[in-house]
Each structure stands twice: as structure tokens, then as C-alpha cells.
Amino acid sequence: HAITERHKMVEKNRIELAVPIKVVKKKSWGKKNLEIEKDKFLRDCLEKSEKLLAKKDYFSLQKICYNLDQSNNIREPLVEEWYWPKSFLIALRAARKNIESDEDEEENDDLKQENQDDDNIDYQERLQKLSEYVRQKYFYCLWCGCCFESNNDLNDNCPGNNRQLHWILVIFCIWFSFNSYNFLINCIFT
């Protein structure tokens, strides 16, 4: 009974205020539309995670490139400034000159400005270029985590120049070792 009284009161107020009742039509989602939305969502999630991994790998490789260059007495990035972390470049330039000139301040301002434009950076492309540099110059692979003795050693023992190729190798090794283990168990107990 209380619900009907309240309903009457709401209806009376609506009429007095001349507020039309909004009819909301539910969007009908067919099975096909749901599958399309699900696929789009999964693709977007995969793309986002790949970009985040590339950004993480890029920052790691910048530090490694800096360390490799420094160990070879290279005091400035040879190819591109973004091969080294910005904070390292700023600190190096400040340490090199106790009194900064206008030119140095402009360079530091450029580095700081570039820091603000991080959303526009294609980390996957930069990672690819930086990885090629350390592979060619130092025979280093980020995903193997080591320096090889020569280019031939790198080509023979490293699966490739990206994370996916390394994961494929890891998955294959796990699969192979699991199947080998099952094979051995079957041979021993059969």
C-alpha cells in the first residue's frame, strides 16, 4: 500500500512540474555483437600490454646502452640522445660544466620538454632501433641478458631481436622438456 501512495505522489509531482517520463530503450546485443566487442576488447588489452612491455624494455635497454657505452669510454650518445636515459644526460652535462651556459640550459630545457611529450613517443620503434644498436655494436641481447663474443655467436645462440621470439623459445623448451620427461617416465615404467 505504501508503494502505491508513493507512486501516486511521484506521478502527481511529475505532472505538476511537466516533466516527461523518459523511456529508455535497452540496446539489444546480439550474440554476434557481443563476440565482436569481446574480440575488440581483447585486442585493445593485448595492444596496451605490448606497449607497456616495450616501454619497460626500452627504459631498461637505455640504462644498459649507457653502461656499455661508458665502459667503452664513450661520453656522449653516438647516434641519438634518447639512446641514454634523460636523467643521465642532464647529470653528465651538469657535472661536465660547473657553470652552465645558455646553450646548456637550452639543451636541458629541450630534454625536459621531451620528457613532457612522452605520450607521443613510439616506444616500440625506439626499442627496435636501440636494440639493433646494442646488438651490432656490443653483441648484446636484452632478452637473453648477456653480451655474446661475436656477431656469429649472437646469431647462433639468440632467437631474435624481440621479446616474442624469446618467449616462443621458452615455451618450446618447456614443452620439449615436459614431453621428454613423459617419454622417459613411460620408458622406465612400461
Side-chain angles (χ1 to χ4, degrees):
H1 184 297
I3 294 175
T4 57
E5 289 295 322
R6 188 164 192 219
H7 179 67
K8 287 179 184 176
M9 194 168 92
V10 168
E11 185 65 23
K12 181 182 172 198
N13 288 339
R14 185 189 66 78
I15 293 171
E16 288 174 3
L17 297 173
V19 177
I21 295 177
K22 229 183 201 182
V23 178
V24 178
K25 186 177 180 182
K26 289 185 179 179
K27 191 173 186 178
S28 69
W29 290 94
K31 189 174 184 178
K32 187 175 182 178
N33 286 342
L34 285 176
E35 287 299 317
I36 291 170
E37 288 296 316
K38 180 181 170 186
D39 289 344
K40 183 182 180 310
F41 174 75
L42 291 175
R43 278 192 310 273
D44 290 347
C45 287
L46 181 62
E47 183 180 323
K48 185 176 181 179
S49 69
E50 285 175 351
K51 285 181 179 180
L52 287 173
L53 281 173
K55 187 175 182 177
K56 176 190 159 294
D57 289 344
Y58 168 71
F59 288 133
S60 296
L61 194 55
Q62 274 186 314
K63 293 173 189 168
I64 291 165
C65 180
Y66 169 80
N67 289 332
L68 289 169
D69 283 347
Q70 289 291 303
S71 67
N72 285 291
N73 292 321
I74 298 171
R75 301 296 173 218
E76 285 287 326
L78 294 177
V79 182
E80 296 281 347
E81 281 200 342
W82 52 261
Y83 277 23
W84 290 5
K86 289 176 204 149
S87 58
F88 291 17
L89 289 171
I90 292 169
L92 282 171
R93 289 183 181 144
R96 201 174 301 131
K97 296 190 180 199
N98 291 335
I99 301 171
E100 292 183 348
S101 66
D102 291 338
E103 182 180 312
D104 288 337
E105 286 179 14
E106 287 176 15
E107 286 179 13
N108 287 341
D109 289 342
D110 290 344
L111 288 172
K112 290 175 185 174
Q113 177 63 33
E114 190 178 312
N115 204 15
Q116 294 171 354
D117 298 334
D118 280 351
D119 294 339
N120 301 329
I121 295 173
D122 184 355
Y123 290 105
Q124 292 167 323
E125 181 183 333
R126 283 193 175 185
L127 175 64
Q128 187 69 29
K129 288 179 181 178
L130 185 54
S131 180
E132 281 297 322
Y133 170 75
V134 295
R135 286 174 74 88
Q136 290 173 2
K137 186 158 181 72
Y138 300 110
F139 314 118
Y140 182 84
C141 175
L142 172 67
W143 300 282
C144 291
C146 63
C147 283
F148 293 90
E149 293 178 15
S150 66
N151 196 32
N152 289 337
D153 187 26
L154 174 69
N155 291 331
D156 291 343
N157 296 308
C158 177
N161 192 15
N162 63 43
R163 176 183 287 274
Q164 290 81 7
L165 292 173
H166 285 74
W167 276 107
I168 289 169
L169 180 66
V170 168
I171 291 168
F172 174 75
C173 290
I174 292 169
W175 176 83
F176 182 75
S177 62
F178 177 75
N179 285 329
S180 299
Y181 175 78
N182 285 340
F183 177 73
L184 289 173
I185 297 296
N186 287 335
C187 289
I188 292 170
F189 295 108
T190 309

